[in-house]
Amino acid sequence: MDRTSELKETIEAAIASRRPLCIVGGGSKNFYGRRSQGDPLSIAGHRGVVEYAPSELVITARAGTPLADLEQALAAEGQMLPFEPPRFGPATVGGAIAAGLSGPRRPFTGAVRDFVLGVKLLTGRGEVLSFGGQVMKNVAGFDLSRLLAGSLGTLGVILEVSLKVLPRPAVELTLSREVAIDRALDTMADWMGQSLPLSALAYEEPLLYVRLSGTERAVASAADRLGGERLAEGERFWESLREQQRPFFTEGNADLWRLSLPPAAPAPDLPGRMLLDWAGAQRWLRSLEDAQKIFRAAADLGGHATLFRSRGARHEVFQPLPESLAKLHRALKEAFDPHRILNPGRMYAEL
Amino acid sequence: MSTAKQALVRSLRKILPEDAILTEAEELQPYECDGLSAYRCRPWLVVMPWTPEQVRAVLALCHEGGIPVVARGGGTGLSGGALPLENGVLLSLARLNRILAIDPENRIARVQPGVRNLAVSEAAQPYGLYYAPDPSSQIACTVGGNVAENAGGVHCLKYGLTVHNVLGLSFLTVAGEEVSVGSGGLDGPGLDILALMHGSEGLLGVVTEVTVRLLPFPESVQVLMAAFDDVTWAAEAVAGVIRAGLVPAGLEMMDRVAIEVVEDFVHAGYPVGAEAVLLCELDGPVTAVEEESARAAALLRQCGAYDVRVARDEAERRRFWAGRKAAFPAVGKITPDYYCMDGTIPRHRLAEVLTGIERLSRRYGLEVANVFHAGDGNLHPLIMYDASVSGELQRVERLGDEILALCVAVGGTITGEHGVGVEKLDGMCHQFDPQALEQFHAVKRAFDPEGLLNPGKAVPTLTRCAELGGMHVHHGNLPHSELERL
Ligand SMILES: Cc1cc2nc3c(=O)[nH]c(=O)nc-3n(C[C@H](O)[C@H](O)[C@H](O)COP(=O)(O)OP(=O)(O)OC[C@H]3O[C@@H](n4cnc5c(N)ncnc54)[C@H](O)[C@@H]3O)c2cc1C
Ligand SMILES: Cc1cc2nc3c(=O)[nH]c(=O)nc-3n(C[C@H](O)[C@H](O)[C@H](O)COP(=O)(O)OP(=O)(O)OC[C@H]3O[C@@H](n4cnc5c(N)ncnc54)[C@H](O)[C@@H]3O)c2cc1C
């Protein structure tokens, strides 16, 4: 169903009454980001695949379409969302784009934003605008579609999105082997520097996990070369990692931090337990360390940190921005949502 | 020299070495145009700093004086993006050409903006790594220009555009303030301004440092050449290969005109007489390439290829590609002038669009050669003409405009990789409605409130669109609807 006109009216009313709105997709991500303020603006019902041409490798869907529906449509044609957003629960396509989080395949095939080809957007001025399109290459105008990925609803309501998809690999195989954590990073870097059919590389003490994807013989010969234990239910492992169902994520009270670092960066000097994904470029940390210290440690290593889940206060969730960059954020907010109607404060207090 | 210019030159001399300021007519002349020589303008002043700090100082000075600035990399752009101004500074980044670091452990390189695209791969080669984006202009274009245009090459079907291969950027705002986006990891905090900078054509900031992602060389590379005696079949073969789940590293096509011209020029071994040739490159682990080449060959035959050749060795592989890479110069040899178009269409409309271009070509009496990135639907019709014949350029432009309208009508876009520059400002009026254009202007103002960076490029004013009578093409509601279409 297309609810565009109704959503537009809600925004216009919000502008008139100066009451902010909190965009809700599946609501599966309330734990993420700073706390939402404002009246809920539900995208539910604004759903449906608008167009899908498998030979084009492009799917277009309304934002409220459950991710599960999208993935089902793709799977029926032997295709997939290459950034592997978590599949469970009521998560919507719009929410997945707005959150901009990608799963284990990220370093090998790309992030959410890398697959966004076009969007239809409802701005904070109540205007419905289309950017990008359904073709792979397009440099007409500024790339506002990719800018929306990860914007957490602060710039506009995503109404519709066109995504590039990829064929599912013929064969996937997961191997694991026991190594010490400092050896794990070296091994990952070594493999990443070779021509191997890799599609995921993670470390959860004491095991290093590698997923191989490709043609049958290519996967088999890479498996022989790398060695290790074959996991009977490999996909189950990656799913439980992606959806944070492993004991590392569910047990204990410590905050869950996400560190985005250069893959070969040494372990940060921070107390707590660590799990590595993205061949070392995404590190999950369970720690009760003070936020400022974590932000500083991540920056010192050339990356940044995000407070992903916490039972405590959620004031400083995202790495503080230097003033020159913060200024551009405020100016962009002004350019899309001058009345500060959409998700104010969800990403940064001043956004 | 006007007094305003004299004053600026005096101030510049205080912050720059003597050799960084060009003012003499013969020094300025090489900067009159970029790769699109149909548009020219003698620059007011060319400034060529040696360091990012000097770039910053130039920007700050110009900002203070309200003087517009146009950034320039290699000057290979094909849409007039680096066209200078009569009353502003042309800021060449060519001297910022140092590779700052190659970090094999993290598989990244940090480079200055004036580094040539190919130089990155050359520097990474000793580590078994390379930089994937490979525009055909890669020996001459710069990484900064690639970011500004979001350049792509033959490998972008599998390895993406520039935006997919850059992890971080430093740029200077119009006021000379430094901003860093992205990180040494795979993403940065906040809004994705890194993505926004790609394809922004020098309107949002001046790129001063780029961190690019490096990839290991594929273990094996194979190229297939398939000949068709019907363009439609070749187009369908493209869809067929992709539908079958293969993701070739490159999938390029040439039509009859292009094949003949190229064969004459480089003797690549193309089957003259074919209506279309497809080049399909596969790369990866040896075994995967073997399996996939066999599958691709079978698929291409099934789709009607009358001849499929697998390159027997590296020399033949290079020869197959040499033809494709020499296509533009080859066309340049047989015609006094050519005009290179750049539009993208959904792949499944390829056959239709090619037939349409042929019909238009006949109607205008202008020959068109087609060489293009078939795998991602990015067309480059080359319209051959003679600029010395009066009125011919105007006819070429009309034909070009119709070809682009056709691209938009089938769901495509007016530029796939060359950018809007000054060339396609009118095309923007066709593709976007006034509200969308106004949103672009709002984004521009967020970065550059006074509009001093590359003014007049990339995004047309609403007045211009109104004067043109440009309108949003919507559901087949085309401009010039009286003309015959597909
Ligand atoms: C490693 C990893 C682990 C994850 N773990 C979890 C997990 O445990 N649980 C979980 O639920 N998700 C998790 N995610 C991500 C999550 O699945 C997706 O981001 C999800 O699709 C969010 O969808 P939603 O519709 O529920 O979003 P919501 O929770 O409804 O919204 C998320 C954000 O997007 C905004 N938004 C929603 N829809 C729109 C729209 N149409 N336009 C603009 N803004 C919009 C909201 O305002 C909010 O800021 C994880 C991701 C990764 C990479
Ligand atoms: C023979 C030929 C083949 C080509 N093939 C391809 C191809 O396959 N794919 C493709 O994508 N393009 C191709 N091009 C077009 C062109 O090479 C690309 O657009 C390239 O990215 C331009 O880079 P440049 O350094 O020459 O930029 P320039 O032409 O100098 O500038 C281009 C634009 O970038 C801006 N700019 C330059 N440097 C900076 C900077 N540091 N900061 C901010 N803005 C900056 C300029 O203001 C201008 O708007 C081809 C061109 C030629 C002549």
Side-chain angles (χ1 to χ4, degrees):
Chain A
M1 204 178 71
D2 187 338
R3 288 183 52 211
T4 301
S5 50
E6 184 192 332
L7 292 166
K8 182 169 150 69
E9 279 163 26
T10 312
I11 300 232
E12 283 161 355
I15 297 171
S17 63
R18 307 255 151 197
R19 283 173 70 97
L21 296 169
C22 160
I23 311 169
V24 183
S28 71
K29 299 267 315 183
N30 291 335
F31 68 88
Y32 183 66
R34 290 161 48 87
R35 270 189 218 293
S36 334
Q37 306 159 14
D39 304 335
L41 172 70
S42 171
I43 308 301
H46 182 70
R47 63 195 278 177
V49 170
V50 179
E51 204 179 326
Y52 175 34
S55 73
E56 287 299 301
L57 303 178
V58 176
I59 193 163
T60 302
R62 294 198 185 95
T65 311
L67 267 185
D69 289 10
L70 200 69
E71 301 218 315
Q72 213 172 16
L74 293 172
E77 299 289 341
Q79 297 184 339
M80 63 177 184
L81 288 178
F83 47 89
E84 291 191 321
R87 198 179 310 140
F88 60 77
T92 62
V93 176
I97 305 304
L101 298 163
S102 315
R105 211 179 290 269
R106 191 306 168 216
F108 308 93
T109 49
V112 175
R113 63 98 131 145
D114 293 329
F115 292 91
V116 174
L117 299 178
V119 294
K120 202 187 223 179
L121 162 81
L122 184 50
T123 67
R125 288 187 305 272
E127 292 176 342
V128 178
L129 307 176
S130 291
F131 297 107
Q134 303 188 329
V135 292
M136 307 283 152
K137 283 167 91 182
N138 181 356
V139 287
F142 299 129
D143 193 346
L144 303 186
S145 320
R146 288 199 177 92
L147 177 65
L148 290 173
S151 66
L152 278 176
T154 55
L155 300 181
V157 180
I158 299 166
L159 291 173
E160 204 175 288
V161 55
S162 296
L163 292 167
K164 178 178 170 183
V165 300
L166 284 179
R168 243 170 219 295
V171 178
E172 295 206 316
L173 173 68
T174 298
L175 303 166
S176 73
R177 66 157 73 169
E178 215 176 298
V179 289
I181 189 158
D182 42 344
R183 281 283 304 137
L185 281 174
D186 291 346
T187 309
M188 288 181 181
D190 177 28
W191 290 350
M192 287 296 283
Q194 300 176 35
S195 175
L196 287 165
L198 302 171
S199 67
L201 209 42
Y203 179 78
E204 182 182 14
E205 202 146 24
L207 293 175
L208 174 65
Y209 295 87
V210 54
R211 180 173 62 188
L212 300 165
S213 303
T215 62
E216 198 169 330
R217 282 172 50 217
V219 167
S221 84
D224 288 345
R225 194 158 127 202
L226 300 184
E229 194 93 21
R230 286 168 194 234
L231 254 68
E233 297 193 53
E235 209 33 46
R236 189 63 75 67
F237 168 77
W238 298 107
E239 203 175 297
S240 67
L241 171 65
R242 183 171 74 212
E243 303 187 1
Q244 305 192 333
Q245 291 161 344
R246 307 199 57 78
F248 173 88
F249 293 103
T250 55
E251 288 168 9
N253 290 324
D255 289 341
L256 174 66
W257 284 86
R258 171 183 182 271
L259 306 186
S260 172
L261 300 178
D269 185 17
L270 293 166
R273 290 182 302 133
M274 193 85 91
L275 182 149
L276 316 179
D277 193 2
W278 293 7
Q282 175 172 263
R283 305 188 193 176
W284 298 100
L285 170 71
R286 296 294 305 268
S287 177
L288 284 167
E289 182 60 285
D290 166 63
Q292 290 313 322
K293 290 208 175 117
I294 294 183
F295 288 135
R296 198 169 327 119
D300 286 347
L301 291 170
H304 66 102
T306 306
L307 178 54
F308 205 81
R309 284 174 196 266
S310 168
R311 301 200 172 177
R314 279 157 51 183
H315 299 304
E316 279 201 276
V317 171
F318 299 103
Q319 184 94 20
L321 302 174
E323 177 49 26
S324 60
L325 189 51
K327 202 153 76 183
L328 290 178
H329 278 66
R330 290 192 296 268
L332 279 171
K333 175 76 172 174
E334 175 71 25
F336 284 87
D337 179 22
H339 313 292
R340 290 176 50 83
I341 295 295
L342 301 175
N343 282 4
R346 178 86 194 232
M347 185 187 258
Y348 289 100
E350 48 181 3
L351 215 61
Chain B
M1 238 194 271
S2 67
T3 48
K5 188 161 147 185
Q6 276 170 353
L8 179 66
V9 170
R10 261 198 313 276
S11 311
L12 283 169
R13 290 224 163 99
K14 288 186 202 140
I15 53 174
L16 295 176
E18 187 65 26
D19 66 355
I21 306 164
L22 312 184
T23 54
E24 301 303 317
E26 64 276 15
E27 295 175 318
L28 298 177
Q29 203 232 337
Y31 298 90
E32 276 181 352
C33 65
D34 58 10
L36 181 66
S37 54
Y39 295 84
R40 287 176 185 276
C41 173
R42 174 72 52 90
W44 202 53
L45 196 64
V46 175
V47 175
M48 302 186 78
W50 293 93
T51 67
E53 182 42 44
Q54 289 171 3
V55 178
R56 199 201 62 71
V58 172
L59 283 168
L61 185 70
C62 290
H63 185 246
E64 221 179 80
I67 294 161
V69 177
V70 177
R72 177 181 164 115
T76 67
L78 289 173
S79 56
L83 183 73
L85 301 164
E86 292 166 345
N87 63 341
V89 166
L90 186 72
L91 176 63
S92 166
L93 283 314
R95 281 172 176 164
L96 269 66
N97 62 359
R98 286 177 49 220
I99 293 181
L100 301 169
I102 302 273
D103 175 354
E105 289 249 282
N106 288 306
R107 298 166 303 283
I108 54 177
R110 273 197 311 120
V111 306
Q112 289 189 324
V115 169
R116 290 171 308 107
N117 172 294
L118 191 61
V120 183
S121 287
E122 285 168 354
Q125 189 173 10
Y127 306 97
L129 300 169
Y130 77 109
Y131 175 55
D134 56 347
S136 314
S137 52
Q138 69 182 150
I139 30 171
C141 64
T142 67
V143 176
N146 292 167
V147 169
E149 299 290 358
N150 195 15
V154 298
H155 287 115
C156 69
L157 176 61
K158 181 167 176 181
Y159 295 103
L161 306 161
T162 304
V163 67
H164 301 116
N165 290 280
V166 169
L167 296 172
L169 282 183
S170 293
F171 64 90
L172 295 167
T173 66
V174 65
E177 200 169 357
E178 188 176 22
V179 181
S180 294
V181 290
S183 76
L186 293 177
D187 48 32
L191 295 170
D192 201 338
I193 291 174
L194 176 62
L196 180 61
M197 290 303 291
H198 283 83
S200 63
E201 304 195 26
L203 267 72
L204 303 183
V206 175
V207 175
T208 51
E209 192 181 305
V210 188
T211 302
V212 302
R213 181 171 79 122
L214 302 173
L215 298 176
F217 285 119
E219 193 177 46
S220 164
V221 186
Q222 184 55 276
V223 175
L224 287 79
M225 179 178 67
F228 296 81
D229 50 27
D230 189 328
V231 170
T232 317
W233 295 348
E236 272 155 21
V238 171
V241 165
I242 287 166
R243 185 66 190 91
L246 292 174
V247 184
L251 195 53
E252 298 285 307
M253 188 163 152
M254 276 167 284
D255 70 359
R256 184 183 44 78
V257 181
I259 296 165
E260 280 169 15
V261 172
V262 161
E263 195 45 32
D264 228 35
F265 186 57
V266 285
H267 311 294
Y270 293 166
V272 176
E275 284 297 318
V277 159
L278 264 187
L279 289 179
C280 174
E281 179 161 292
L282 297 156
D283 71 2
V286 176
T287 44
V289 171
E290 279 169 8
E291 281 175 88
E292 289 178 352
S293 312
R295 273 189 70 205
L299 274 164
L300 291 166
R301 282 203 189 86
Q302 258 170 41
C303 293
Y306 69 80
D307 186 11
V308 178
R309 276 186 249 162
V310 182
R312 278 160 306 191
D313 50 28
E314 181 60 18
E316 190 167 46
R317 186 180 83 81
R318 281 180 192 280
R319 201 160 61 241
F320 284 176
W321 274 120
R324 168 63 184 86
K325 297 227 165 180
F328 288 15
V331 169
K333 281 267 177 203
I334 62 150
T335 171
D337 300 279
Y338 70 83
Y339 189 45
C340 174
M341 307 295 303
D342 162 46
T344 311
I345 56 163
R347 273 185 300 257
H348 68 282
R349 310 294 292 267
L350 200 56
E352 243 180 284
V353 172
L354 290 175
T355 322
I357 292 178
E358 203 187 318
R359 188 174 307 154
L360 287 167
S361 149
R362 274 203 305 272
R363 203 171 63 225
Y364 278 84
L366 290 165
E367 195 163 25
V368 178
N370 279 294
V371 282
F372 56 94
H373 313 297
D376 33 45
N378 186 195
L379 307 183
H380 291 313
L382 300 175
I383 308 174
M384 300 177 225
Y385 72 107
D386 184 349
S388 65
V389 175
S390 109
E392 194 148 294
L393 177 61
Q394 286 68 30
R395 233 152 31 91
V396 169
E397 284 177 339
R398 276 208 309 283
L399 170 55
D401 199 45
E402 287 221 46
I403 292 176
L404 291 183
L406 195 58
C407 293
V408 175
V410 300
T413 167
I414 56 164
T415 170
E417 58 183 18
H418 295 165
V420 174
V422 286
E423 183 203 19
K424 291 190 170 168
L425 285 168
D426 293 340
M428 290 289 282
C429 304
H430 296 320
Q431 196 175 330
F432 293 96
D433 61 25
Q435 286 186 332
L437 291 172
E438 184 42 50
Q439 185 63 56
F440 289 144
H441 284 297
V443 169
K444 164 73 170 165
R445 280 194 300 274
F447 283 74
D448 177 16
E450 290 101 29
L452 293 175
L453 276 181
N454 216 359
K457 311 281 173 64
V459 187
T461 60
L462 297 179
T463 332
R464 181 183 179 118
C465 292
E467 279 167 10
L468 181 80
M471 59 179 166
H472 190 206
V473 178
H474 197 58
H475 296 310
N477 180 9
L478 292 177
H480 318 297
S481 59
E482 73 286 4
L483 299 177
E484 186 195 1
R485 305 271 160 187
L486 297 179

